[in-house]
Every structure is written in structure tokens, then in C-alpha cells.
Amino acid sequence: MQPITGTGKLYDGEGKQVIGIISHQVWEKSEGDNIRGEWGGEFLIDRVIWPSGNYIIELENGQRGSCFIDIVQEVNGCPVNYRYTVKGSGNLSQPKE
């Protein structure tokens, strides 16, 4: 399974409002017999994501996937970039043409 690396966007849970630009590394497992597809990875963004909840990631190639981001601790200090790990279910959708 080859990771998909690039720049993309993070949207709110409805996919309408851009939260920010991300640098991502995402992998995807294909669906098979009795196996639901899944994907996951991590991304960097220049701000804190708040609150916990459903978000949509759009990859550089236009693929999109819904994910849940769980904020489990308070961020102390002022780091330049924030790293988030994501996991989604189902396959990433293909870009609309």
C-alpha cells in the first residue's frame, strides 16, 4: 500500500467551509470480499482544529474522505504546525470531473 503524499484541504463536516491547507500522507486499503475499505494517515496544519468532530479531507488529486478528529488534550505553547492523525472508513471518493 503506497502512501499518497501532497498538499490538500481540510473542510468542515459538510464539506462547504475550508478550515485550512494541509500537508498530508494518507494510505488507503481497498474494499474486498467482506472487507470494508479504510484509509488513514496524518496531516499538518498551521492552526489548532477545534472542536472534535467530523471533518472532510480533500487530497491534492481531488479525492475526498470523511474522518473524525478527536481532540484529546489541550495544546500548550505556540507551535508553528500541528500534526493530526486521521482514520476514515470506506474508500476515498474519486474527484468529480
Side-chain angles (χ1 to χ4, degrees):
M1 150 178 44
Q2 187 79 9
I4 303 167
T5 304
T7 303
K9 295 177 185 172
L10 181 69
Y11 290 87
D12 64 1
E14 296 176 2
K16 295 180 180 176
Q17 181 181 1
V18 176
I19 305 296
I21 303 299
I22 60 171
S23 296
H24 63 77
Q25 182 168 352
V26 174
W27 52 264
E28 183 177 21
K29 283 186 184 176
S30 299
E31 289 189 57
D33 295 336
N34 299 323
I35 299 173
R36 184 181 172 131
E38 62 180 44
W39 63 275
E42 62 183 19
F43 67 88
L44 292 173
I45 190 168
D46 66 352
R47 68 197 70 199
V48 173
I49 296 172
W50 187 259
S52 294
N54 290 311
Y55 292 87
I56 294 179
I57 291 179
E58 182 178 82
L59 307 182
E60 192 170 60
N61 65 8
Q63 288 181 291
R64 282 184 163 207
S66 179
C67 64
F68 183 80
I69 298 175
D70 189 9
I71 311 303
V72 294
Q73 66 184 27
E74 208 174 295
V75 177
N76 295 321
C78 296
V80 175
N81 288 307
Y82 301 91
R83 181 181 305 270
Y84 292 88
T85 302
V86 294
K87 185 171 184 179
S89 60
N91 291 327
L92 292 166
S93 68
Q94 294 301 315
K96 295 179 181 176
E97 295 185 26

